[in-house]
Amino acid sequence: MDKPKQLIDKLEETSRLTKEEWIALIENRSEEAAEYLFEKARNWQHQYYGKRVYTRGLIEFTNYCKNDCFYCGIRRSNQNADRYRLTREQILECCQIGYGLGFRTFVLQGGEDGWFTQVRLEKIVHAIRERYPDCAITLSLGERSRESYRRLFEAGADRYLLRHETADEEHYRQLHPQELSAARRKQCLWDLKEIGYQTGTGFMVGSPGQTAAQLAEDLMFIRKLEPHMVGIGPFVAHHDTPFAAEKCGTVELTLFLIGLLRIMLPKLLLPATTALGTIDARGREKGILAGANVVMPNLSPTDVRKKYELYDNKICTGDEAAECRTCLNRRMESIGYQLVVDRGDFCQ
Ligand code: SAH
């Protein structure tokens, strides 16, 4: 048996590899090794989740951001970004439409926007919690204090998404301005877990400067954190950022990493991301077949969709929420899976 397959077997058996082994596996991966990996990944996926794909209704409620991440289209120095905020009523309307379509998880995602104060955020979470007691509320609002996270949890939020972006401090500095650090980002994740959130981390694949050694660190950090969710997608350049001319991440490596995550932590909630669907017309289907089990279609009002432009050519910006759900349903059925009406909690 060749080396990558042996390493895949070892990962499956022990749930761990050394840094050197991770690097060897990533650097020596082949199409054959990937097929071997995906079959194992699907076995675990079927064991815990069957062929059921969970959906999350994504509500991108503000594109104002105080941060200046070099990769992101809504960074504060992008003067060309057309800024918007949804009102509480608009957010609730998105939930109402989403509920009718079968969504039982709402994800509130946005830039780090000070207009949404702690009290305003708590009111929004509380209002959704009251109206939709059977739904999960996921927040993705960036870095906040432990106290803020705790109060939002008490207001009714169940889950929090905060990608660590890259576990390597030096690489982190290549992607972010000085005031942000990998250490702080990781601390937030430990806080979120301790408070009791179902916690999601993740990273971009193929972000500028990324090496196999850094990916090894990402995987080892995830192993240590043991999050409930991991969102990974290819880096995709945005024309109004310092990384405008950088190469995008590849479908091939993203899929391989999804497979590795599935066999390392078999119960993970793993989305086939919109970024993956953006660089490949069948990217999300391929993501599911590599071991992912979640999709996150957009519930934002159509008139703001184009404005939440983290990267170029983002898909589904012209569709109504209902169209997105139907389209994804069709896509999942084409590969023998089905979207389900379910909160889609982490399987205990
Ligand atoms: N402000 C929130 C939400 C960020 S947007 C937070 O800090 O968590 C969600 C994710 O989109 C980011 O975590 C990042 O990994 C991803 N993203 C941003 N710009 C991107 C780009 N150019 N290509 C691919 N993914 C990108």
Short mmCIF file of all heavy atoms in Angstrom, two decimals, residues 32 55 65 73 83 91 98 210 214 228 277 309:
data_model
loop_
_atom_site.label_atom_id
_atom_site.label_comp_id
_atom_site.label_asym_id
_atom_site.label_seq_id
_atom_site.Cartn_x
_atom_site.Cartn_y
_atom_site.Cartn_z
N GLU A 32 -5.92 8.74 -6.45
CA GLU A 32 -6.27 7.43 -5.92
C GLU A 32 -6.46 7.50 -4.40
O GLU A 32 -7.43 6.95 -3.85
CB GLU A 32 -5.13 6.47 -6.28
CG GLU A 32 -5.48 5.03 -6.08
CD GLU A 32 -4.23 4.15 -6.14
OE1 GLU A 32 -3.20 4.57 -6.73
OE2 GLU A 32 -4.29 3.04 -5.56
N THR A 55 -29.67 21.79 6.50
CA THR A 55 -29.61 23.12 5.89
C THR A 55 -29.59 24.18 6.99
O THR A 55 -30.20 24.02 8.05
CB THR A 55 -30.85 23.41 5.03
OG1 THR A 55 -32.01 23.23 5.83
CG2 THR A 55 -30.92 22.51 3.84
N CYS A 65 -18.00 46.68 8.67
CA CYS A 65 -17.03 45.94 9.47
C CYS A 65 -15.91 46.86 9.90
O CYS A 65 -15.40 47.64 9.11
CB CYS A 65 -16.47 44.75 8.68
SG CYS A 65 -15.54 43.63 9.75
N GLY A 73 -13.79 41.12 1.07
CA GLY A 73 -14.39 42.20 0.28
C GLY A 73 -15.14 43.23 1.10
O GLY A 73 -15.39 44.35 0.62
N ARG A 83 -22.52 49.74 1.62
CA ARG A 83 -22.82 49.21 2.97
C ARG A 83 -24.32 49.18 3.26
O ARG A 83 -25.07 50.06 2.84
CB ARG A 83 -22.10 50.06 4.02
CG ARG A 83 -20.61 50.23 3.81
CD ARG A 83 -19.83 48.97 4.17
NE ARG A 83 -18.43 49.10 3.73
CZ ARG A 83 -17.48 48.21 3.99
NH1 ARG A 83 -17.77 47.11 4.68
NH2 ARG A 83 -16.26 48.37 3.55
N ILE A 91 -34.81 41.15 9.59
CA ILE A 91 -34.20 39.87 10.00
C ILE A 91 -35.30 38.87 10.35
O ILE A 91 -35.28 37.71 9.91
CB ILE A 91 -33.24 40.08 11.19
CG1 ILE A 91 -32.06 40.94 10.76
CG2 ILE A 91 -32.77 38.74 11.76
CD1 ILE A 91 -31.14 41.40 11.89
N GLY A 98 -37.90 31.77 5.86
CA GLY A 98 -37.07 30.57 6.00
C GLY A 98 -37.81 29.44 6.69
O GLY A 98 -37.74 28.29 6.27
N GLN A 210 -0.17 30.13 2.08
CA GLN A 210 -0.43 28.91 2.86
C GLN A 210 0.46 27.74 2.45
O GLN A 210 0.63 27.47 1.26
CB GLN A 210 -1.90 28.52 2.68
CG GLN A 210 -2.37 27.39 3.56
CD GLN A 210 -3.87 27.13 3.32
OE1 GLN A 210 -4.27 26.76 2.24
NE2 GLN A 210 -4.67 27.37 4.33
N GLN A 214 1.38 24.64 7.45
CA GLN A 214 0.33 25.42 8.11
C GLN A 214 -1.00 24.67 8.11
O GLN A 214 -1.74 24.71 9.09
CB GLN A 214 0.19 26.78 7.42
CG GLN A 214 1.39 27.67 7.72
CD GLN A 214 1.56 28.79 6.73
OE1 GLN A 214 0.88 28.83 5.70
NE2 GLN A 214 2.48 29.69 7.02
N HIS A 228 -17.68 21.44 17.11
CA HIS A 228 -18.83 20.68 16.60
C HIS A 228 -18.97 20.85 15.09
O HIS A 228 -19.60 20.04 14.42
CB HIS A 228 -20.11 21.17 17.29
CG HIS A 228 -20.02 21.11 18.78
ND1 HIS A 228 -19.54 22.15 19.54
CD2 HIS A 228 -20.31 20.11 19.63
CE1 HIS A 228 -19.56 21.79 20.82
NE2 HIS A 228 -20.02 20.57 20.91
N GLY A 277 -18.93 26.10 -4.03
CA GLY A 277 -19.89 26.14 -5.13
C GLY A 277 -19.58 27.27 -6.12
O GLY A 277 -20.04 27.24 -7.26
N GLU A 309 -20.44 40.90 -0.39
CA GLU A 309 -19.54 40.27 -1.34
C GLU A 309 -18.17 40.09 -0.69
O GLU A 309 -17.33 40.98 -0.72
CB GLU A 309 -19.44 41.17 -2.59
CG GLU A 309 -18.82 40.49 -3.76
CD GLU A 309 -18.55 41.47 -4.90
OE1 GLU A 309 -18.19 42.64 -4.63
OE2 GLU A 309 -18.70 41.07 -6.06
#
